[in-house]
């Protein structure tokens, strides 16, 4: 198949993290990809596979033993040509300047040099009839290759300038080789298929290798991975990523000392690993088929923090050593077992962070500072050109572009008009960094205005005085401003205007004819850029005092009696209306009894039915010339007690006749209702023409109906008695005593 497009199946949550060697694994969020990547498929000439390299816009695939030529593909994966005469190619490596591609030909015991500009064979080196060059790496100016036809730990090197070949031994069996321009004199060797994984870092000195560091493939004494399949050195020459299948995983160790730098988790049976030179760096791991486990074929990690950048399912297992990035880091090429190459476009495109900081608000017609930074994977993007746009009041204005500094930061001044503005900073992106725009709002504020005002606190009626003040905005006086002046007194409200002088001051003259408070309000409407302002002031204009009294016809009243409340008002000018209030004990507010005009005789009487202790209050609100006045008086109301006798033979007024052998009975009722209170009772006996106290009770409880039934126990002999009930006083009512009830026993 050629050019068939397929959308990759994505898995973005809970896939993989990079675990620091010093920390336990923890769950980290998997960010979304910068943009949707697309996958295309390109058929290869052979089902077998040797190696894959990308240089410029060309992808080169060697087919391994039995293949004829090198397959050249365009950047999009489309077929370009097959470079004939280079048969059975296995491992490949680029020279430090990327101008020459070296290809291992084990079947013909040679290493071929190919010009990466003309794509023609430029040289062929015979490495000896017993040598079978397999994996290649360029380090220290020499081409290093493994040789499976010689003892398992043999590594040979070729000097391209002379064609001389030298041999040396390494620790790792059946070695895989890797190097990177970031550490041009270092060669990394890992034992293919070893468990636990073992790898060494050698310093290149001519044809000699000096061991610098080693990694034993264990973490805390346990194998971190085994059955090594591939390894890659990052473009900076700082770390080595190595993959294995038993146990499976990807391990990172430091090139400098072989110490564990982290582990990538996720996926099963990793076969290939590749790093990208794009900003911030990405690491791609390709996986074998896992029919029973729904995992992606490729996971892409961020090189800086190990977070998963994206994942792809490309239908088919990735071949060992079958991953490579395009030089610009924008595409990822994967060779699958089906004899095809998958091209993942935009796989290396990263989401940048474009921070924009502006003040929440600023004064109109000033400039604001717009600042921030541009980063990707935590690394600054230096020298990036940023576009700037301002949107305000329906108008969009393109502002000059700015460039980021070495640390990725930027700062510039932008104009702010008379309306709120949106500032949008944008980055167009590159082949490996997605475009991004960030917008922030600035609220345009008017200049704060202040209106001060001064006037005397009190003046005499008909005496002239002046109201003065100053108007400023932003701390400066406002000249020629028209101010609205409102004056309110007892006669009503008037409105006028006054203009400020050159120094922002103003003055208003007044001669009050009416007494009482004069309330002044001076206000300014403001302008487009200056906020409105307002000030108030009250001047008390003196008034004459008048007399006001409140009396009642008595101090104590019987329950239900009518009190006569008499008001006497002295001289006034324009009003003789008074308000009379009553407030019973326990009430939270006074009740208005009447609002009436006092007659020419100066007095007014208001009736009120008394049921509780009450305070009366009268108020005169004042008029144009006379001031407010008030008076009050408290009076008391006695409780009412009634006694109703029953079972008597006869009655005459308050005298009741009972049989001497019976029990006089009755009910005492109290007004107002006082359930739960108590009353007292006294009984006197008539002896020798005189009333003598025979009984005096303690507390006799009043029932819930404010009544209490009673019976009088007598001696059973004829005679005369008298009964009286007493109620104690309270906050609500004064004490009260019933009249006598006379009882004759016959």
């Amino acid at each position: 198949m050629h050019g068939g497009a397929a959308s990759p199946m994505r898995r973005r949550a809970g896939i993989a993290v990079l675990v620091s060697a010093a920390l336990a694994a923890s769950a980290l969020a998997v960010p979304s990809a910068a943009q949707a990547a697309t996958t295309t498929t390109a058929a290869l000439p052979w089902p077998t596979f040797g190696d894959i390299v990308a240089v410029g816009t060309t992808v080169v695939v060697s087919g391994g033993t039995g293949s004829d030529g090198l397959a050249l593909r365009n950047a999009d994966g489309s077929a370009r040509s097959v470079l004939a005469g280079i048969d059975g190619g296995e491992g490949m490596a680029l020279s430090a300047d990327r101008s020459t591609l070296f290809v291992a030909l084990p079947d013909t015991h040679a290493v071929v040099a190919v010009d990466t500009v003309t794509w023609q064979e430029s040289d062929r080196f015979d490495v000896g009839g017993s040598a079978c060059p397999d994996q290649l790496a360029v380090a220290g100016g020499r081409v290093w290759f493994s040789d499976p036809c010689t003892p398992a730990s043999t590594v040979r090197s070729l000097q391209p300038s002379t064609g001389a070949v030298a041999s040396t031994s390494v620790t790792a069996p059946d070695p895989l080789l890797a190097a990177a321009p970031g550490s041009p004199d270092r060669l990394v060797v890992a034992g293919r298929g070893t468990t636990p994984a073992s790898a060494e870092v050698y310093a290149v000195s001519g044809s000699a290798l000096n061991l610098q560091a080693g990694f034993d493939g264990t973490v805390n004494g346990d194998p971190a991975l085994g059955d090594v399949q591939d390894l890659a050195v990052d473009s900076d020459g700082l770390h080595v990523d190595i993959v294995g299948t038993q146990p499976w995983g990807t391990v990172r160790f430091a090139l400098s000392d072989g110490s564990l730098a982290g582990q990538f988790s996720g996926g099963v049976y990793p076969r290939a690993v590749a790093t990208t030179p794009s900003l911030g760096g990405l690491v791609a791991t390709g996986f074998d088929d896992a029919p029973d486990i729904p995992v992606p074929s490729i996971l892409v990690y961020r090189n800086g923090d190990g977070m998963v950048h994206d994942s792809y399912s490309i239908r088919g297992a990735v071949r060992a050593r079958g991953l490579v990035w395009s030089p610009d880091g924008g595409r990822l090429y994967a060779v699958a077992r089906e004899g095809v190459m998958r091209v993942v476009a935009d796989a290396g495109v990263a989401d940048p962070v474009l921070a924009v900081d502006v003040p929440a608000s600023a004064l109109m017609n000033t400039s604001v500072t717009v600042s921030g930074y541009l980063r990707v994977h935590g690394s600054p993007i230096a020298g990036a050109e940023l576009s700037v746009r301002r949107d305000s009041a329906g108008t969009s204005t393109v502002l000059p572009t700015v460039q980021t500094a070495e640390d990725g930061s930027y700062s510039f001044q932008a104009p702010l008009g008379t309306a709120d503005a949106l500032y949008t900073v944008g980055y167009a992106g590159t082949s490996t960094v997605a475009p991004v725009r960030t917008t922030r709002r600035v609220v345009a504020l008017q200049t704060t205005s202040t209106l001060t005002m001064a006037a005397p606190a009190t003046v005499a009626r008909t005496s002239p005085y002046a109201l003065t003040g100053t108007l400023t905005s932003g701390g400066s006086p406002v000249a020629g401003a028209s101010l609205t002046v409102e004056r309110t007194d007892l006669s009503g409200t008037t409105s006028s205007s006054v203009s400020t002088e050159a120094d922002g001051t103003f003055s208003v003259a007044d001669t009050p004819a009416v007494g009482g408070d004069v309330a002044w309000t001076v206000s300014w409407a403001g302008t487009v850029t200056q906020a409105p302002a307002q000030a108030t002031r009250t001047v008390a204009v003196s008034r004459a005092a008048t007399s006001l009294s409140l009396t009642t016809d008595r101090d104590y009243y019987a329950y239900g009696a009518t009190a006569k409340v008499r008001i006497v008002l002295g001289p006034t000018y324009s009003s003789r209306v008074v308000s009379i209030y009553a407030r019973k004990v326990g009430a939270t507010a006074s009740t208005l009894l009447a609002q009436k005009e006092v007659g020419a005789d100066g007095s007014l009487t208001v009736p009120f039915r008394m049921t509780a202790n009450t305070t009366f209050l009268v108020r005169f609100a004042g008029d144009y010339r006379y001031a407010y006045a008030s008076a009050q008086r408290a009076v008391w109301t006695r409780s009412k007690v009634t006694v109703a006798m029953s079972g008597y033979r006869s009655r005459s007024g308050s005298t009741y006749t009972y049989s001497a052998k019976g029990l006089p009975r009755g009910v005492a009722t109290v007004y107002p209702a006082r359930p739960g209170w108590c009353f007292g009772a006294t009984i006197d006996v008539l002896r020798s023409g005189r009333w003598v106290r025979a009984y005096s009770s303690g507390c006799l409880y009043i029932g819930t109906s404010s009544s209490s039934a009673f019976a009088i126990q007598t001696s059973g002999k004829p005679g005369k008695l008298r009964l009286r009930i007493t109620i104690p006083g309270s906050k609500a009512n004064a004490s009260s005593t019933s009249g006598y009830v006379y009882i004759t026993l016959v």
Side-chain angles (χ1 to χ4, degrees):
M1 294 180 63
H2 297 274
S7 297
M9 180 175 68
R10 300 297 187 88
R11 300 182 184 274
R12 293 183 182 141
I15 297 174
V17 295
L18 177 65
V19 182
S20 169
L23 301 175
S26 60
L28 299 177
V30 178
S32 300
Q35 60 189 62
T38 58
T39 301
T40 57
T41 301
L44 296 174
W46 327 278
T48 54
F49 171 68
D51 203 353
I52 182 170
V53 171
V55 55
T57 59
T58 302
V59 182
V60 185
V61 181
S62 61
T65 301
S67 62
D68 50 350
L70 293 178
L72 304 184
R73 293 292 183 263
N74 295 313
D76 60 2
S78 60
R80 181 191 298 180
S81 62
V82 173
L83 187 56
I86 304 177
D87 301 334
E90 286 287 351
M92 296 185 289
L94 286 166
S95 61
D97 62 2
R98 304 179 71 83
S99 65
T100 302
L101 174 67
F102 297 99
V103 183
L105 304 179
D107 294 343
T108 57
H109 315 289
V111 172
V112 172
V114 177
D115 188 308
T116 58
V117 176
T118 63
W119 290 108
Q120 298 294 321
E121 181 178 329
S122 60
D123 210 341
R124 183 176 291 246
F125 305 95
D126 186 350
V127 295
S130 62
C132 305
D134 184 17
Q135 300 300 303
L136 297 188
V138 175
R142 300 178 72 88
V143 180
W144 297 84
F145 59 90
S146 61
D147 185 358
C149 295
T150 56
S153 299
T154 298
V155 172
R156 299 179 186 274
S157 64
L158 166 69
Q159 175 54 260
S161 62
T162 64
V165 176
S167 297
T168 188
S169 294
V170 294
T171 303
D174 193 9
L176 295 171
L177 308 180
S183 294
D185 60 347
R186 291 292 186 271
L187 179 68
V188 182
V189 180
R192 178 161 37 190
T194 56
T195 301
S198 63
E200 296 87 35
V201 179
Y202 293 92
V204 177
S205 177
S207 62
L209 295 178
N210 298 313
L211 182 64
Q212 298 296 302
F215 174 68
D216 64 3
T218 63
V219 177
N220 297 325
D222 297 322
L225 79 164
D227 189 19
V228 175
Q229 299 291 306
D230 195 10
L231 77 162
V233 183
D234 63 25
S235 58
D236 296 326
L238 298 177
H239 298 99
V240 179
D241 296 311
I242 182 170
V243 296
T245 61
Q246 291 184 357
W248 67 65
T250 304
V251 173
R252 167 173 292 177
F253 66 89
L255 192 75
S256 59
D257 59 8
S259 61
L260 179 68
Q263 291 175 273
F264 294 106
S265 61
V268 294
Y269 306 125
R271 296 286 187 178
V273 63
T275 62
T276 174
S278 62
L279 186 62
L282 296 172
V283 178
T285 301
F287 299 92
D288 204 343
D289 281 328
D292 299 329
I293 306 177
V295 294
S297 304
I298 298 174
L299 283 174
V300 179
Y301 310 88
R302 298 206 302 236
N303 201 10
D305 58 13
M307 293 291 292
V308 172
H309 172 71
D310 213 337
S311 61
Y312 312 101
S313 290
I314 62 170
R315 298 195 311 274
V318 177
R319 300 293 294 261
R321 305 176 306 282
L323 278 180
V324 71
W325 289 94
S326 62
D328 63 4
R331 288 183 172 90
L332 180 62
Y333 303 96
V335 177
R337 283 187 180 171
E338 292 80 0
V340 296
M341 181 177 68
R342 314 289 189 190
V343 182
V344 184
D346 299 324
V349 178
D351 278 321
V353 176
L354 178 56
V356 177
D357 184 37
V358 297
S361 59
L363 292 177
M364 295 178 179
N365 291 335
T366 60
S367 62
V368 297
T369 300
V370 182
S371 61
Y373 58 82
L374 179 64
R375 297 173 185 168
V376 63
H377 297 170
S379 300
I381 303 180
E385 185 175 90
L386 304 180
S387 62
V388 183
R389 189 183 74 239
R390 185 191 70 184
D391 293 282
S392 179
T395 300
S396 184
T397 304
V398 176
L399 302 179
T401 59
V402 296
Q403 274 198 337
T404 58
E406 286 297 320
D407 61 355
S409 65
Y410 66 90
S411 180
F412 61 91
Q413 296 294 309
L416 177 66
T418 58
D420 295 355
L422 294 175
Y423 294 92
T424 300
V425 181
Y427 174 58
T430 65
S431 61
T432 58
V433 181
V436 63
R437 289 188 302 174
T438 304
T439 300
R440 293 289 182 268
R441 175 185 294 274
V442 177
V443 176
L445 300 178
Q446 294 174 304
T447 302
T448 301
S449 302
T450 303
L451 190 59
T452 62
M453 190 159 58
T458 60
V459 296
R461 192 177 62 83
T462 71
S463 296
Y465 69 95
L467 180 78
T468 61
T470 304
L471 174 64
T472 60
S473 186
S476 300
V478 181
S482 178
L483 309 180
T484 299
V485 181
E486 286 190 352
R487 181 188 187 279
T488 301
D489 63 11
L490 292 175
S491 65
T493 300
T494 59
S495 182
S496 61
S497 63
V498 64
S499 295
T500 58
E501 303 295 335
D503 59 356
T505 60
F506 66 92
S507 179
V508 179
D510 184 46
T511 303
V514 176
D517 287 347
V518 178
W520 294 93
T521 300
V522 179
S523 56
W524 182 50
T527 67
V528 173
T529 59
Q530 296 168 303
Q534 186 182 81
T536 60
R537 189 79 175 181
T538 298
V539 177
V541 179
S542 63
R543 291 181 287 180
T546 188
S547 60
L548 179 64
S549 65
L550 183 153
T551 59
T552 57
D553 55 339
R554 62 182 64 183
D555 295 332
Y556 287 86
Y557 292 87
Y559 184 89
T562 298
K564 294 179 180 179
V565 182
R566 186 170 184 267
I567 310 300
V568 177
L569 178 65
T572 62
Y573 178 73
S574 58
S575 173
R576 295 193 62 76
V577 176
V578 294
S579 300
I580 303 99
Y581 301 86
R583 184 174 68 251
K584 295 181 179 181
V585 171
T588 57
S590 299
T591 301
L592 178 65
L593 302 182
Q595 194 171 54
K596 293 185 176 181
E597 186 172 334
V598 178
D601 64 350
S603 66
L604 172 68
T605 301
V606 177
F608 183 74
R609 183 175 181 272
M610 301 295 294
T611 59
N613 298 340
T614 302
T615 298
F616 295 104
L617 173 68
V618 61
R619 291 177 178 146
F620 170 60
D623 62 11
Y624 291 178
R625 296 185 182 179
Y626 286 86
Y628 166 88
S630 66
Q632 65 179 27
R633 176 175 171 76
V635 295
W636 293 265
T637 303
R638 299 186 185 279
S639 299
K640 178 181 179 181
V641 183
T642 63
V643 179
M645 301 300 293
S646 63
Y648 49 84
R649 286 184 177 183
S650 63
R651 174 186 178 184
S652 176
S654 59
T655 301
Y656 299 84
T657 301
Y658 285 88
S659 169
K661 300 299 182 181
L663 289 175
R665 298 177 182 278
V667 175
T669 304
V670 179
Y671 301 91
R674 289 193 184 175
W677 277 57
C678 60
F679 65 90
T682 59
I683 299 176
D684 299 330
V685 179
L686 186 62
R687 293 176 182 171
S688 303
R690 295 178 58 190
W691 291 103
V692 178
R693 180 64 46 84
Y695 173 79
S696 180
S697 74
C699 179
L700 302 175
Y701 285 100
I702 302 173
T704 57
S705 61
S706 197
S707 298
S708 183
F710 62 87
I712 302 174
Q713 182 71 46
T714 69
S715 64
K717 298 178 181 181
K720 290 186 178 182
L721 311 172
R722 69 178 182 181
L723 168 70
R724 187 160 67 176
I725 305 297
T726 300
I727 300 296
S730 68
K731 291 183 178 180
N733 295 89
S735 62
S736 178
T737 302
S738 70
Y740 281 109
V741 174
Y742 294 92
I743 300 172
T744 301
L745 302 175
V746 295

